[in-house]
């Protein structure tokens, strides 16, 4: 190649690509396309599983199993023959290699294996010669197929151009000699040379192989030597992905990586790269592109000197399982000798790789992450190296934690901004994943966290979502698909696409439970069939759930990336379920007020458990449906404002009833209509008793910091207690109808005075000094000047009188009842939980 190499492209095809007819045809078509744009050098690996079969054949022959070894070579020959016979898929002629030619290529291999069988030994040197047949056959076949498509091509044996040392199986390249030989050989190459990847030869003529990703290394060496425009590695994946797709289903291809990011990924377990593959590219500045064989139009991943320039996003996450964390610590003063040096040298002597190491201040403790398979060797080695210090108590015992996993965030561009570490650890902490050890390079290119292996998948999924690579998967288990629950399911269904597209949040309903049955589907329930699915589950024999959701089901839910238990019931005793959810790593969103109005000790225990487990417990809808009442009050308290008085209509239901009464309606008719419209609790007696409003008042009082219980509320029902005490709805409505006339007369009399009936609550922290109740809830007739006088329909309002808002209160007002608005508030709480992990 005497002309300029600036238009040269090096194409490398892997064995998995060439071993399948469809992708092999695509590879041939790719070469044809690229050859029209400029000069091309092709580098190939062995076909399909040929390398594995060659290794087995060598081992079988060394064990004396001649027939089994021959069976492996026959399978290699069959694959080679089927590949050599490929046509272009359009009726054009196939390649020109027949079965006899391929058998001739393999004849020396059979003779070599016979020799291995006779001596019952396969040395590393011999094994490398055996393995060389894979690439040699592949390059011969692929070159013949290209020639059959009217391209000038011939196979090139890399053993004649790649010079290495004699470290068989993982040889090191003599770069100056190799570059010189490539340049000299290229002078006589045809239009499309097909070079064997993976192979090399020592200066004295012994065959070697280049180890993992050796064919990629061959391609980048050729690119460096010839000043190629680009190296393209064609694979069966769409590029380098943002995470392991087996762990993160919607991992995305990365558009751009820097050379150093690629090396970092290789160091932390990404098998697509090997650090030495990058060295020729770094020295020459030639870019590398990972391309998808079955989607040739896709851009793939470009690896170059600059990488991505988006400082708002990280590049990718690598995860490495089946590791162990070893830790040793000095008791008292530090050792006279360097602890870390002796610690590391032990691993070096045992040839145990150390993925990550940490050293404390003054070198008094040191940790290392190593492969789990090497734990016992490492422990024994350390016990021997430090036997004197362990015996006299200078050192604490060697602590071993396994299995662990390393989760590594690679973020070169993002590393130039602040907050990356806190964002990563914050995301992991928010789901209760403990970081056992951590390492960050001085280049700020990567951050590695060591976690329990059982937490690895959740950690990767959560971190992946936190850095906005993917939709945040929010898995909801709904308790109580009643009025509010049904509306919530409808809203999730209506908003799913919008939330995915605009907010990168995918809310899935994975579980449902009512008083009769429950269902759990990890991949998400079909929302349009939820009622039918739950009904089918209720007929499952021997179904005996331990409460609304079996506790072991909560544990399974807790293994999801972002699990949320949503309580839309009005059941008593749900605090035990919440406690179990927190312990299982599940967040809770509740419209149920009762757990928040437990006796003070139980209330504090519930909130304390959520904090202890780092779980969210959100309950905005317990006061004011979807109105931002609790969050507004929290903001006032958190910012140091002093709350002097809270008053308002806490119950949209009673607001609706009193407004309709003021218009002249009949009490029993109004209450029945309110129940039909979903404004009331399942038992309307709870609303008219004022108990529901009292619970809301207590919730707000506790948010202010008042240590009060429900018994501290001075409560007066809307109607006489004798009516409230009717247990059946039929008796209740009959009693309401009997009382309707008296209520109507009271409202009419107030109307003549210019007043209207309202049901209001009042929280006055200073009332205790006057020996008065700090919380009062009951019916009042208010003049037109009172803000409550202007409430309409089911509106609620809450007025906060504070030090900052002493002249004009901060008022929150709007619809305070109804299934749709409450469900909207519940969904908003679910999204706040998701947002807290992403922001």
């Amino acid at each position: 190649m005497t002309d300029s190499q600036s238009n040269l492209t090096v194409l490398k095809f892997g064995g998995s690509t060439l071993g399948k007819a469809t992708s092999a045809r695509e590879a041939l078509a790719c070469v044809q396309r690229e050859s029209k744009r400029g000069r091309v050098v092709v580098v190939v690996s062995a076909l399909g599983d040929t390398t594995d079969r060659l290794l087995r054949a060598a081992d079988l022959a060394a064990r004396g199993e001649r027939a089994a070894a021959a069976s492996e070579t026959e399978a290699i020959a069959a694959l080679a023959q089927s590949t050599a016979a490929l046509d272009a898929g359009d009726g054009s002629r196939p390649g020109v290699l027949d079965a006899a030619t391929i058998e001739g290529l393999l004849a020396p291999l059979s003779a070599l294996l016979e020799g291995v069988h006779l001596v019952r030994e396969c040395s590393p040197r011999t094994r490398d010669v055996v393995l060389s047949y894979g690439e040699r056959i592949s390059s011969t076949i692929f070159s013949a197929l290209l020639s059959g498509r009217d391209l000038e091509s011939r196979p090139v044996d890399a053993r004649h151009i790649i010079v290495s040392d004699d470290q068989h199986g993982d040889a090191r390249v003599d770069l100056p000699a190799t570059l010189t030989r490539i340049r000299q050989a290229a002078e006589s190459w045809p239009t499309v040379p097909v070079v064997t990847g993976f192979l090399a030869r020592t200066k004295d003529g012994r065959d070697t192989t280049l180890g993992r990703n050796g064919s990629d290394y061959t391609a980048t060496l050729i690119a460096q030597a010839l000043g190629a425009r680009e190296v393209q590695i064609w694979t069966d994946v769409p590029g380098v992905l943002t995470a392991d797709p087996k762990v993160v289903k919607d991992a995305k291809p990365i558009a751009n990586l820097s050379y150093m990011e690629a090396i970092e990924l290789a160091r932390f377990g990404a098998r697509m790269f090997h650090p030495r593959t990058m060295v020729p590219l770094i020295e020459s500045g030639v870019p590398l592109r990972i391309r998808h064989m079955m989607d040739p139009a896709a851009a793939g991943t470009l690896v170059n000197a600059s990488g991505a320039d988006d400082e708002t996003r990280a590049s990718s996450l690598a995860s490495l399982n089946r590791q162990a964390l070893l830790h040793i610590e000095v008791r008292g003063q530090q050792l006279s000798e360097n602890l870390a040096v002796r610690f590391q040298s032990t691993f070096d002597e045992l040839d145990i790789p150390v993925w990550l190491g940490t050293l404390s201040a003054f070198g008094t403790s040191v940790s290392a992450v190593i492969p789990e398979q090497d734990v016992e060797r490492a422990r024994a080695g350390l016990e021997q190296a430090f036997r004197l210090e362990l015996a006299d108590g200078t050192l604490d015992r060697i602590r071993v934690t396994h299995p662990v996993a390393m989760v590594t965030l690679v973020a070169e561009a993002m590393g130039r901004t602040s907050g990356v570490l806190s964002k990563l650890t914050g995301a992991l902490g928010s789901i209760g994943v403990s970081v056992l050890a951590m390492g960050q390079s001085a280049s700020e290119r990567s951050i590695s966290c060591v976690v329990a292996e059982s937490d690895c998948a959740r950690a990767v999924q959560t971190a992946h979502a936190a850095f906005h690579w993917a939709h945040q998967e929010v898995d909801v288990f709904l308790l109580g698909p009643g009025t509010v629950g049904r509306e919530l399911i409808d809203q999730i269904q209506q908003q799913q696409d919008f939330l995915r597209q605009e907010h990168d949040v995918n809310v899935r309903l994975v579980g449902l439970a009512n008083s009769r049955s429950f269902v759990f589907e990890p991949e998400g329930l079909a929302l349009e069939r939820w009622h039918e699915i739950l009904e089918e589950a209720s007929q499952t024999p021997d179904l005996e759930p331990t409460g609304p959701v079996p506790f072991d089901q909560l544990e399974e839910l807790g293994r999801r990336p972002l699990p949320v238990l949503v309580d839309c019931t009005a059941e008593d005793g749900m605090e035990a379920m919440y406690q179990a959810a927190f312990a299982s790593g599940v967040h809770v969103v509740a419209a149920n007020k009762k757990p928040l109005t437990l006796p003070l000790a139980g209330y504090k225990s519930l909130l304390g458990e959520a904090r202890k487990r780092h779980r969210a417990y959100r309950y905005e809808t317990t006061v004011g449906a979807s109105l931002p009442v609790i969050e507004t009050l929290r903001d006032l308290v958190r910012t140091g404002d002093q709350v002097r008085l809270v008053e308002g209509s806490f119950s949209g239901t009673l607001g609706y009833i009193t407004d309709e009464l003021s218009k002249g309606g009949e009490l029993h008719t109004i209450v029945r209509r309110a129940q039909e419209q979903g404004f009331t609790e399942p038992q309307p007696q709870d609303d008219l008793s004022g108990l529901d409003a009292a619970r809301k008042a207590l919730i707000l009082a506790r948010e202010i910091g008042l240590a009060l219980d429900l018994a501290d509320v001075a409560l007066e029902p809307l109607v006489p207690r004798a009516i409230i005490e009717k247990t059946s709805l039929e008796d209740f409505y009959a009693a309401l109808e009997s009382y309707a006339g008296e209520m109507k007369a009271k409202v009419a009399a107030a109307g003549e005075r210019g007043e209207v009936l309202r049901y209001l609550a009042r929280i006055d922290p200073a009332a205790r000094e006057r020996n008065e109740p700090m919380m009062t809830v009951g019916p009042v007739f208010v003049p037109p000047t009172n803000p409550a006088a202007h409430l309409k329909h089911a509106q609620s309002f809450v007025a906060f009188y504070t030090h900052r808002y002493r002249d004009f209160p901060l008022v929150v007002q709007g619809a305070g009842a109804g299934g749709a608005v409450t469900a909207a508030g519940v969904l908003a709480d679910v999204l706040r939980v998701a947002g807290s992990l992403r922001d």
Side-chain angles (χ1 to χ4, degrees):
M1 289 188 180
T2 57
D3 56 335
S4 171
Q5 306 298 324
S6 61
N7 66 343
L8 171 67
T9 302
V10 179
L11 306 177
K12 182 264 176 176
F13 299 102
S16 60
T17 294
L18 300 178
K20 301 172 186 174
T22 303
S23 54
R25 288 193 185 96
E26 285 295 332
L28 293 166
C30 172
V31 176
Q32 288 178 297
R33 286 193 304 271
E34 289 297 327
S35 65
K36 294 175 182 178
R37 297 171 184 156
R39 302 300 297 271
V40 172
V41 174
V42 175
V43 177
V44 294
S45 297
L47 301 174
D49 60 355
T50 296
T51 298
D52 291 337
R53 289 189 178 277
L54 287 168
L55 284 169
R56 284 199 295 271
D59 290 342
L60 289 166
R63 295 202 301 265
E65 300 179 37
R66 176 188 293 173
S71 177
E72 295 292 343
T73 60
E74 289 168 5
I76 292 169
L79 175 60
Q81 289 167 12
S82 65
T83 305
L86 283 177
D87 61 27
D90 57 5
S92 61
R93 64 186 183 279
V96 296
L97 293 182
D98 57 17
T101 304
I102 292 173
E103 288 177 5
L105 292 172
L106 287 171
L109 171 64
S110 298
L112 179 60
L113 290 173
E114 178 63 20
V116 170
H117 169 259
L118 290 174
V119 300
R120 295 292 196 276
E121 181 183 354
C122 186
S123 67
R125 177 180 176 180
T126 302
R127 182 174 283 105
D128 274 357
V129 178
V130 170
L131 290 177
S132 73
Y133 281 90
E135 274 69 20
R136 289 156 62 188
I137 292 168
S138 181
S139 67
T140 302
I141 291 173
F142 200 75
S143 177
L145 290 169
L146 289 171
S147 296
R149 284 155 177 76
D150 299 323
L151 285 173
E152 182 195 3
S153 180
R154 77 165 183 267
V156 174
D157 192 334
R159 293 177 298 172
H160 301 310
I161 59 173
I162 308 294
V163 183
S164 76
D165 63 11
D166 60 357
Q167 188 174 334
H168 294 283
D170 192 19
R172 293 296 180 264
V173 170
D174 180 336
L175 189 60
T178 295
L179 297 180
T180 298
R181 287 197 184 183
I182 292 172
R183 290 170 185 141
Q184 292 172 346
E187 296 291 334
S188 60
W189 281 353
T191 304
V192 183
V194 180
V195 184
T196 58
F198 183 59
L199 307 181
R201 183 172 279 171
T202 64
K203 288 181 179 179
D204 59 357
R206 287 173 289 169
D207 292 352
T208 59
T209 57
L210 301 180
R212 183 165 72 85
N213 294 83
S215 294
D216 292 355
Y217 191 21
T218 304
T220 61
L221 286 167
I222 292 171
Q224 179 183 6
L226 303 181
R229 177 182 62 84
E230 185 173 87
V231 176
Q232 295 181 7
I233 296 179
W234 290 84
T235 72
D236 53 3
V237 294
V240 183
L241 300 180
T242 50
D244 183 347
K246 295 177 183 177
V247 178
V248 179
K249 292 181 180 179
D250 56 354
K252 296 177 172 61
I254 303 167
N256 206 184
L257 282 172
S258 71
Y259 297 135
M260 298 309 295
E261 283 179 306
I263 290 175
E264 207 82 357
L265 284 171
R267 288 171 178 159
F268 290 110
R271 298 190 61 82
M272 186 167 286
F273 299 112
H274 191 285
R276 66 186 174 197
T277 303
M278 292 294 114
V279 174
L281 301 177
I282 294 170
E283 294 185 354
S284 64
V286 175
L288 168 72
R289 193 180 295 275
I290 311 294
R291 303 288 296 274
H292 191 193
M293 195 71 260
M294 303 312 293
D295 188 10
T301 299
L302 177 65
V303 184
N304 58 16
S306 59
D309 58 3
D310 186 355
E311 295 185 0
T312 65
R313 289 178 183 261
S315 296
S316 60
L317 276 162
S319 51
L320 195 63
N321 285 299
R322 295 187 293 278
Q323 303 299 306
L325 176 65
L326 279 73
H327 178 83
I328 195 165
E329 188 168 353
V330 178
R331 290 177 176 170
Q333 296 183 349
Q334 65 191 87
L335 295 176
S336 57
E337 298 179 74
N338 191 306
L339 176 64
V341 171
R342 292 175 62 189
F343 191 72
Q344 179 62 51
S345 65
T346 302
F347 297 118
D348 292 341
E349 291 168 7
L350 295 170
D351 196 25
I352 295 175
V354 174
W355 290 101
L356 179 147
T358 68
L359 180 66
S360 69
F362 304 108
T364 56
S365 68
V366 61
S367 302
V369 176
I370 66 169
E372 187 181 24
Q373 65 191 29
D374 296 321
V375 162
E376 294 311 317
R377 284 201 306 132
R379 191 203 306 265
L382 290 172
E383 288 175 348
Q384 175 63 25
F386 293 101
R387 61 189 181 281
L388 298 178
E389 291 86 353
L390 290 168
D392 66 17
T394 304
L395 287 180
D396 203 348
R397 64 183 177 83
I398 299 166
R399 297 206 304 269
V400 180
T401 305
H402 68 101
V404 300
M406 267 202 340
V407 177
T408 301
L409 178 76
V410 176
E412 184 162 44
M414 195 177 191
R416 295 192 289 267
T417 64
S418 62
V420 180
L421 175 61
S422 62
K423 189 170 187 176
L424 175 61
T425 56
L428 299 185
S430 68
I431 60 169
V433 171
S434 297
V435 176
L436 307 177
M438 181 179 296
Q440 179 175 2
S441 62
S443 66
E444 299 182 329
R445 186 175 293 118
S446 67
I447 303 169
S448 294
C449 295
V450 181
V451 302
E453 188 173 274
S454 58
D455 288 331
C456 181
R458 283 199 308 146
V460 171
Q461 291 160 354
T462 301
H464 192 263
F467 286 90
H468 296 265
W469 281 306
H471 301 309
Q472 173 68 70
E473 299 286 349
V474 183
D475 293 326
V476 170
F477 199 119
L478 173 63
L479 308 180
T483 302
V484 175
R486 286 195 300 270
E487 287 283 355
L488 177 62
I489 295 171
D490 287 346
Q491 290 178 20
I492 291 173
Q493 186 174 8
Q494 292 163 11
Q495 291 297 105
Q496 259 184 337
D497 290 343
F498 172 77
L499 291 171
R500 276 196 296 262
Q501 293 166 11
E502 299 298 326
H503 298 280
D504 285 337
V505 175
N506 184 28
V507 181
R508 299 186 304 180
L509 184 68
V510 298
L512 269 174
N514 59 18
S515 58
R516 296 180 294 114
S517 63
F518 73 92
V519 290
F520 181 77
E521 174 49 62
E523 298 306 313
L525 296 168
L527 296 181
E528 66 279 3
R529 293 185 58 250
W530 72 265
H531 193 279
E532 178 183 339
I533 293 170
L534 192 58
E535 185 61 31
E536 290 171 358
S538 69
Q539 314 201 357
T540 302
D542 303 323
L543 183 65
E544 297 180 359
T546 55
V549 184
F551 286 177
D552 60 349
Q553 204 78 73
L554 283 176
E555 292 176 3
E556 184 174 353
L557 179 64
R559 289 191 285 270
R560 313 297 292 179
L562 204 166
V564 184
L565 183 72
V566 174
D567 181 10
C568 288
T569 73
E571 296 295 320
D572 294 312
M574 294 302 293
E575 58 274 8
M577 182 63 59
Y578 295 4
Q579 297 264 13
F582 297 144
S584 299
V586 178
H587 305 280
V588 173
V589 169
N592 187 344
K593 292 172 279 294
K594 292 178 180 177
L596 294 167
T597 58
L598 291 168
L600 197 59
Y603 166 81
K604 289 182 176 179
S605 173
L606 182 61
L607 268 61
E609 184 68 13
R611 285 191 293 270
K612 173 185 173 183
R613 303 288 184 174
H614 303 285
R615 301 297 85 193
Y617 177 23
R618 302 203 65 101
Y619 44 85
E620 183 66 72
T621 54
T622 58
V623 180
S626 64
L627 295 179
V629 175
I630 292 175
E631 198 61 32
T632 299
L633 179 56
R634 281 180 178 168
D635 287 342
L636 293 172
V637 173
R638 281 189 294 234
T639 58
D641 204 353
Q642 181 180 355
V643 179
R644 296 177 172 177
L645 178 67
V646 179
E647 67 176 2
S649 175
F650 290 170
S651 169
T653 304
L654 291 176
Y656 169 79
I657 292 171
T658 55
D659 185 47
E660 291 297 306
L661 285 170
S662 297
K663 294 176 182 177
E666 300 286 343
L667 177 61
H668 54 290
T669 304
I670 296 168
V671 174
R672 192 179 294 277
R673 190 162 60 241
Q675 185 179 19
E676 291 170 354
Q677 293 180 25
F679 291 163
T680 70
E681 297 291 328
Q683 293 293 318
Q685 296 95 315
D686 287 346
D687 294 281
L688 269 66
S689 70
L691 183 58
D692 185 63
R695 289 191 180 109
K696 295 174 181 178
L698 178 59
I699 291 169
L700 292 186
R702 286 175 168 177
E703 290 291 331
I704 294 172
L706 301 179
L708 298 173
D709 279 317
L710 200 56
D712 297 314
V713 181
L715 174 62
E716 181 184 351
L718 180 65
V719 297
R721 294 188 187 278
I723 298 176
I724 302 301
E725 291 168 358
K726 302 293 184 183
T727 56
S728 77
L729 283 177
E730 184 178 349
D731 292 343
F732 169 68
Y733 277 114
L736 278 185
E737 187 171 0
S738 298
Y739 181 68
E742 183 178 342
M743 174 63 83
K744 193 168 188 177
K746 290 180 180 179
V747 171
E752 292 177 0
R753 300 191 303 269
E755 297 175 340
V756 292
L757 176 63
R758 293 291 182 260
Y759 196 88
L760 300 182
R762 181 182 177 93
I763 305 169
D764 183 358
R768 176 175 292 170
E769 299 172 6
R770 304 190 300 271
N771 201 28
E772 297 174 357
M774 286 190 283
M775 294 184 293
T776 60
V777 176
V780 293
F781 291 98
V782 299
T785 54
N786 190 297
H790 305 291
L791 295 176
K792 302 295 182 184
H793 200 60
Q795 281 187 325
S796 289
F797 97 101
V798 182
F800 298 108
Y801 295 84
T802 72
H803 176 72
R804 296 175 190 150
Y805 293 92
R806 53 184 174 272
D807 297 324
F808 301 99
L810 174 58
V811 176
V812 179
Q813 181 174 331
V821 294
T822 304
V826 170
L827 181 55
D829 266 351
V830 170
L831 296 176
R832 288 187 189 100
V833 173
S836 68
L837 302 187
R838 292 178 68 89
D839 297 338

